[in-house]
């Protein structure tokens, strides 16, 4: 079967909405690569290096000598082969975040779930199709904390010509639309990342040996570059005294890094300054490393924004510019314009911006967090001939990530809606076949749970035999979400947050619809159907479709997906410390089809 035959069998999201008792033909599920498949090839070589992204040296990991790694580019429906050569001294895996891996669940790159880690000196080949998918995704290590040591990079797939674009809702100028279609082929990634003082093995050792949640960071990097910036204590005092902030500040004390002291203390710590526990950093010396700059002579920018950090939600803005959101997690949305974009950890937001001439700071500030910190890069447009623009651009956001004026607007992924008719979902189709209830709770200093009784994903899950190769007839803990899900079933997950801490929850193997979301109230019903019967009306009419939902303290999300992808899929908090501290579960999807799929597997 050649590629053209294969393409006829692809099941798109559009078939799912509105159709009822429908099952996928097995051929679709088994639509993996054949002998004549043409792959786009990429090689990623991982090394351990001594790096100083923000002016202070530490041990880090690099991909082909760089971080972020090279962009994996291509077109919708491409087949991709990624060869990973692990030349570093630690075991790793690579997860392709946002790629659904339909028909290739073994290529999802999660140690302990879909594969063994790739050991030092070994190579591993991932093969998958970007089936009916386009836009911005990314790859990152999915073993221990190595993503934050630098193992991540952008991926972009140009939408097929058949797909409708939303650009005409931004401009009526046909030459502008042509420009955007051209820029869409090679967007500029802008990746914000949290950089700790030490490498992640040290951070994780400090976490498990001393009960220290790896909370506060040293710098925020943009495309791998940043600075450590120290502020006067008055700056932190001013931010603390802003209306609405004080509820987040336990006792109002900050250390030299803008990191707040937490009320509960750190149970087992004997030397707070020696362990550099958050809230107790004593010294701060600024560094003056090179910052990220984008030089251009253009009228529009087309950016792919990503929060790759393992720690903090980010507020992004470009001084002096309003931003048009055109896609979230690689799905075109009805465009919205605003001054600021909020990016939960792992989220991707594609924006287009009408460029001005001058030099403009681009800011990624930590938002909704116990630390005041930002990373800054620069847009430099039409400045190569010594042109000057002496007007200072307007700054929209503060160091705490909050807007400076009530006249400015902020856009959250959760408040967007798919542009394409085929990506919309009508809640009224039929009741869910399965409803899982999750309950976010920090049950100890470094234990984080998804379940009401505090059950944790086993601490050592990454080193166990991968579940994908050992799922039949075994009994597992509550963390195994196993309810005889069949292909075609509708699956709902109700997620309440009982915590004082927000969590970005990511599901593998699916995009999901955000049916209901609230910033401060729990979802008190047992199912969506139950809620409808009790007159609950706060469902989203045209729910966003994405793969991460940020759930604020005491709030909730109700998410839905249609089972169309037999596999063993992790659902977890994308904050790395929280995942390692237990905040994860695994969905077992259509085990019968999965068995067939595993037996007929012929590729990597
Ligand atoms: C395009 O033109 C129409 C008709 O003049 C107008 O209503 C609409 O607002 C314009 N759209 C944009 C994006 O400028
Ligand atoms: C704290 O110390 C106690 C007693 O030594 C130990 O049982 C517990 O596991 C430690 N907690 C952490 C988070 O390390
Ligand atoms: C503080 O903010 C709240 C809502 O966020 C508002 O109701 C209140 O009036 C504000 N107080 C002041 C002094 O601005
Ligand atoms: C705590 O750590 C600091 C910094 O390493 C060190 O100077 C100090 O002596 C330590 N205090 C104790 C009581 O161990
Ligand atoms: C910069 O100068 C060069 C040479 O004079 C010219 O060709 C180019 O158009 C100028 N660029 C801008 C943006 O003015
Ligand atoms: C110069 O900068 C100001 C402030 O950012 C901006 O409003 C203006 O459009 C810029 N001038 C040009 C020619 O782009
Ligand atoms: C917001 O806009 C209004 C109307 O233009 C203006 O009067 C007000 O001063 C602005 N507020 C701030 C904080 O800039
Ligand atoms: C959260 O976990 C703590 C510690 O296990 C427990 O005491 C508390 O009841 C839990 N909270 C909720 C709302 O489940
Ligand atoms: C398969 O999983 C079961 C249940 O977790 C475990 O007891 C068993 O050791 C695993 N098998 C292998 C070969 O690792
Ligand atoms: C969500 O939390 C509320 C309030 O704590 C509780 O009544 C409800 O049962 C929870 N729902 C689920 C599905 O856990």
């Amino acid at each position: 079967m050649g590629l053209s035959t294969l393409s006829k069998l692809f099941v798109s999201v559009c078939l799912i909405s509105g159709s009822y008792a429908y099952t996928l033909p097995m051929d679709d599920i088994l639509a993996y690569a054949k002998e004549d498949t043409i792959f786009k090839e990429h090689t990623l070589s991982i090394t351990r290096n001594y790096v100083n992204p923000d002016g202070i040296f530490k041990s880090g990991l690099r991909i082909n000598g760089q971080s972020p790694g090279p962009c994996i580019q291509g077109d919708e429906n491409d087949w991709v082969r990624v060869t990973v050569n692990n030349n570093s001294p630690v075991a790793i895996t690579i997860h392709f975040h946002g790629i659904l891996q339909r028909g290739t669940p073994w290529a999802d790159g999660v140690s302990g779930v879909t594969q063994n880690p790739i050991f030092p000196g070994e190579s591993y080949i991932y093969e998958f199709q970007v089936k009916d998918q386009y836009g911005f995704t990314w790859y990152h290590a999915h073993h221990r904390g190595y993503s934050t040591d630098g193992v991540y990079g952008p991926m972009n797939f140009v939408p097929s010509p058949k797909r409708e674009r939303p650009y005409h809702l931004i401009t009526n100028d046909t030459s502008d639309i042509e420009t955007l279609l051209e820029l869409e082929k090679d967007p500029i990634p802008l990746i914000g990342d949290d950089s700790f003082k030490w490498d992640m093995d040290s951070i994780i050792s400090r976490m498990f040996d001393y009960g220290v949640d790896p909370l506060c960071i040293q710098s925020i990097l943009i495309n791998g570059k940043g600075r450590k910036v120290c502020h006067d204590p008055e700056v932190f005092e001013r931010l603390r005294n802003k209306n609405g902030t004080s509820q987040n500040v336990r006792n109002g004390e900050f250390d030299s890094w803008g990191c707040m002291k937490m009320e509960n203390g750190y149970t087992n710590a004997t030397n707070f300054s020696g362990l550099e526990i958050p809230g107790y950093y004593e010294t701060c010396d600024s560094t003056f490393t090179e910052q990220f700059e984008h030089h251009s002579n253009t009228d529009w920018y087309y950016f792919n924004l990503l929060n790759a950090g393992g720690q903090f939600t980010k507020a992004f803005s470009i001084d002096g510019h309003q931003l048009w959101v055109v896609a979230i997690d690689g799905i075109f949305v009805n465009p919205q314009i605003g001054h600021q974009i909020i990016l939960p950890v792992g989220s991707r937001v594609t924006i287009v911006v009408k460029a001005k001439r001058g030099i403009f700071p681009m800011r990624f500030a930590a938002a909704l967090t116990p630390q005041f910190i930002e990373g800054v890069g620069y847009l430099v447009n039409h400045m190569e001939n010594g042109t000057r623009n002496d007007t200072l651009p307007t700054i929209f956001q503060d160091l705490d990530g909050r807007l400076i004026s009530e006249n400015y607007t902020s856009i959250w992924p959760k408040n967007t809606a798919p542009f394409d008719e085929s990506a919309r979902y009508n809640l009224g189709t039929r009741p869910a076949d399965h409803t899982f209830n999750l309950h976010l709770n920090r049950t100890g200093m470094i234990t984080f749970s998804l379940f009401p009784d505090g059950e944790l994903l086993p601490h050592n899950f990454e080193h166990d035999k991968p579940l994908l190769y050992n799922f039949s007839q075994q009994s597992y803990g509550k963390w195994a979400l196993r309810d005889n899900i069949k292909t075609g079933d509708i699956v709902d997950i109700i997620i309440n947050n009982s915590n004082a801490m927000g969590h970005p929850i990511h599901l593998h193997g699916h995009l999901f619809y955000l049916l209901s979301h609230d910033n401060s109230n729990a979802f008190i019903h047992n199912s969506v159907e139950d809620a409808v019967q009790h007159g609950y009306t706060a469902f989203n009419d045209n729910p966003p479709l994405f793969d991460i939902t940020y759930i604020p303290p005491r709030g909730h999300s109700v998410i839905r997906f249609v089972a169309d992808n037999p596999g063993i899929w992790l659902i977890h908090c994308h904050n790395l410390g929280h995942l390692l501290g237990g905040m994860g579960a695994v969905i077992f999807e259509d085990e019968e089809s999965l068995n067939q799929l595993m037996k007929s597997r012929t590729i990597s």
Side-chain angles (χ1 to χ4, degrees):
M1 187 161 41
L3 271 180
S4 58
T5 328
L6 275 175
S7 66
K8 283 186 211 134
L9 298 173
F10 297 147
V11 176
S12 65
V13 180
C14 57
L15 284 178
I16 291 161
S17 52
S19 70
Y20 299 98
Y22 117 115
T23 47
L24 281 179
M26 201 56 203
D27 275 357
D28 284 355
I29 295 164
L30 297 178
Y32 50 73
K34 303 295 178 199
E35 274 162 28
D36 57 352
T37 300
I38 297 159
F39 287 92
K40 294 219 175 132
E41 305 268 354
H42 300 270
T43 302
L44 306 179
S45 165
I46 316 295
T47 51
R48 177 68 104 183
N49 300 82
Y50 200 49
V51 299
N52 68 338
D54 60 6
I56 296 169
F57 279 94
K58 65 177 178 182
S59 166
L61 295 168
R62 289 295 174 263
I63 306 168
N64 301 353
Q66 65 186 74
S67 175
C71 186
I72 295 182
Q73 309 221 43
D75 297 302
E76 179 169 357
N77 287 324
D78 274 359
W79 278 91
V80 178
R81 177 182 289 135
V82 179
T83 304
V84 177
N85 298 322
N86 186 4
N87 299 317
S88 85
V90 297
I92 54 141
T93 62
I94 299 289
H95 166 58
F96 304 89
H97 183 137
I99 299 291
L100 302 178
Q101 302 292 359
R102 209 177 286 142
T104 52
W106 46 77
D108 197 40
V110 183
S111 54
V113 178
T114 62
Q115 69 171 98
N116 286 312
I118 311 164
F119 291 105
E122 287 183 353
S123 292
Y124 192 88
I125 295 170
Y126 296 94
E127 291 177 342
F128 54 87
Q129 190 186 19
V130 189
K131 196 190 272 189
D132 286 337
Q133 287 195 268
Y134 61 91
F136 186 32
T137 56
W138 63 301
Y139 61 91
H140 64 81
H142 215 300
H143 186 64
R144 293 181 58 93
Y146 299 134
S147 175
T148 296
D149 280 341
V151 185
Y152 61 84
M155 301 174 85
N156 191 70
F157 297 94
V158 178
S160 94
K162 280 179 288 184
R163 280 197 191 270
E164 249 197 89
R165 271 70 163 175
Y167 307 137
H168 61 283
L169 298 173
I170 292 171
T171 170
N172 277 335
D173 185 325
T174 48
S175 76
D176 280 351
I177 293 179
E178 289 301 312
T179 303
L180 292 175
L181 286 169
E182 206 43 49
L183 295 175
E184 174 197 88
K185 294 178 188 157
D186 194 13
I188 304 152
L190 287 180
I191 306 177
D193 186 22
D194 300 311
S195 185
F196 289 100
K197 176 172 180 176
W198 301 290
D199 66 72
M200 287 306 286
D201 278 341
S202 305
I203 292 283
I204 293 167
S205 305
R206 193 179 63 139
M207 173 172 167
F208 287 109
D209 292 350
Y210 297 95
V212 182
D213 183 11
L215 207 59
C216 290
I217 55 175
Q218 177 165 279
S219 60
I220 291 178
L221 308 180
I222 302 182
N223 291 4
K225 290 178 179 169
R227 287 181 178 182
K228 182 172 167 185
V229 179
C230 305
H231 300 275
D232 291 334
E234 299 80 62
V235 172
F236 301 136
E237 255 329 277
R238 176 181 67 78
L239 296 170
R240 187 175 76 82
N241 288 326
K242 278 164 80 170
N243 183 20
T245 308
S246 58
Q247 72 226 19
N248 298 324
V249 181
R250 313 305 150 90
N251 60 14
E253 285 183 72
F254 293 88
D255 65 19
S256 61
W257 290 22
C259 189
M260 294 170 202
K261 284 185 183 168
M262 292 291 154
E263 64 182 5
N264 293 326
Y266 286 82
T267 40
N268 285 7
T270 49
N271 186 339
F272 278 62
S273 59
L275 281 170
E276 302 202 10
I277 281 172
Y280 293 86
Y281 291 98
E282 280 170 357
T283 56
C284 185
D285 295 306
S286 296
T287 60
F288 298 92
T289 339
E290 187 192 353
Q291 288 164 301
F292 174 75
E293 290 180 9
H294 176 72
H295 291 253
S296 55
N297 298 306
T298 52
D299 298 327
W300 288 88
Y301 305 111
Y302 198 109
F303 289 122
N304 274 337
L305 308 178
L306 162 67
N307 180 359
Q311 199 64 15
F312 293 145
T313 301
K314 308 280 187 311
F316 175 85
S317 65
I318 304 175
D319 291 2
H321 289 74
Q322 296 207 55
L323 318 172
W324 277 105
V325 172
V326 294
I328 303 285
D329 289 1
I331 302 281
F332 284 130
V333 296
N334 292 324
Q336 290 186 35
I337 193 164
H339 302 84
Q340 180 189 59
I341 313 290
I342 303 294
L343 292 149
V345 170
S347 277
R348 286 94 63 207
V349 178
T350 300
I351 60 170
V352 301
V353 182
K354 188 140 192 157
K356 292 177 179 170
R357 294 181 174 212
I359 300 176
F360 303 94
M362 301 186 284
R363 304 170 191 277
F364 275 97
L368 313 163
T369 64
Q371 185 178 13
F372 297 133
I373 187 167
E374 73 173 356
V376 178
Y378 294 91
L379 270 185
V380 181
N381 195 28
H382 280 294
M383 297 298 284
E384 78 283 11
N385 289 358
T387 339
R388 289 175 54 143
N389 181 345
D390 290 330
T391 321
L392 279 180
T394 316
I395 302 176
F396 302 121
Q397 69 182 37
D398 213 338
L399 185 62
D400 59 1
R402 302 210 300 172
L403 291 170
I404 280 168
S405 155
E406 77 263 16
N407 294 343
Y408 303 145
T409 51
S410 184
I411 301 173
W412 278 81
K414 67 181 164 66
N415 296 331
T416 62
F419 164 71
D420 192 346
E421 295 278 344
S422 67
R424 296 185 189 168
Y425 190 76
N426 177 2
L427 177 64
T429 44
R430 68 180 165 94
D433 301 289
H434 311 269
T435 299
F436 297 106
N437 296 318
L438 302 181
H439 175 97
L440 311 178
N441 191 6
R442 183 183 190 180
T443 56
M445 283 309 289
I446 53 161
T447 52
F448 299 86
S449 170
L450 281 181
F451 298 94
D453 66 356
E455 182 170 299
L456 306 175
L457 190 64
H459 183 57
N460 213 29
F461 82 95
E462 293 187 322
H463 293 104
D464 288 342
K465 183 171 168 79
L467 288 164
L468 187 61
Y469 297 90
N470 182 27
F471 62 89
S472 300
Q473 294 148 19
Q474 303 284 350
S475 62
Y476 298 98
K478 194 173 286 130
W479 54 265
L481 303 178
R482 199 180 195 189
D483 189 33
N484 197 21
I485 298 173
K486 296 286 181 214
T487 292
D489 286 358
I490 292 180
V491 182
D492 283 355
I493 306 178
I494 298 171
I495 313 168
N496 276 335
N497 188 356
S498 67
N499 236 200
M501 210 180 234
H503 298 281
I505 301 295
H506 171 51
L507 170 65
H508 290 229
H510 291 275
L511 291 159
F512 53 77
Y513 289 100
L514 184 69
L515 296 188
S516 172
H517 179 90
D518 196 290
N519 280 340
S520 49
N521 292 296
F523 190 79
I524 57 167
H525 307 283
N526 293 326
S527 67
V528 167
E529 205 186 8
D530 186 39
V532 170
Q533 275 164 12
H534 285 85
Y536 181 83
T537 53
F539 290 109
N540 280 325
D541 285 339
N542 182 6
L545 178 63
F546 47 29
D547 60 40
I548 294 240
T549 177
Y550 173 81
I551 303 161
R554 290 170 288 280
H556 81 255
S557 284
V558 178
I559 66 175
R560 168 171 294 191
F561 65 89
V562 179
D564 61 357
N565 194 7
I568 305 286
W569 306 116
L570 190 65
I571 177 169
H572 64 100
C573 179
H574 215 287
N575 176 308
L576 291 175
H578 298 180
L579 171 60
L580 295 173
M583 204 168 232
V586 182
I587 294 175
F588 288 57
E589 180 174 340
D590 199 342
E591 295 177 43
E592 203 181 308
S593 300
L594 184 57
N595 260 320
Q596 280 188 58
L597 185 58
M598 295 304 286
K599 278 186 201 133
S600 49
R601 172 181 178 181
T602 59
I603 59 162
S604 300

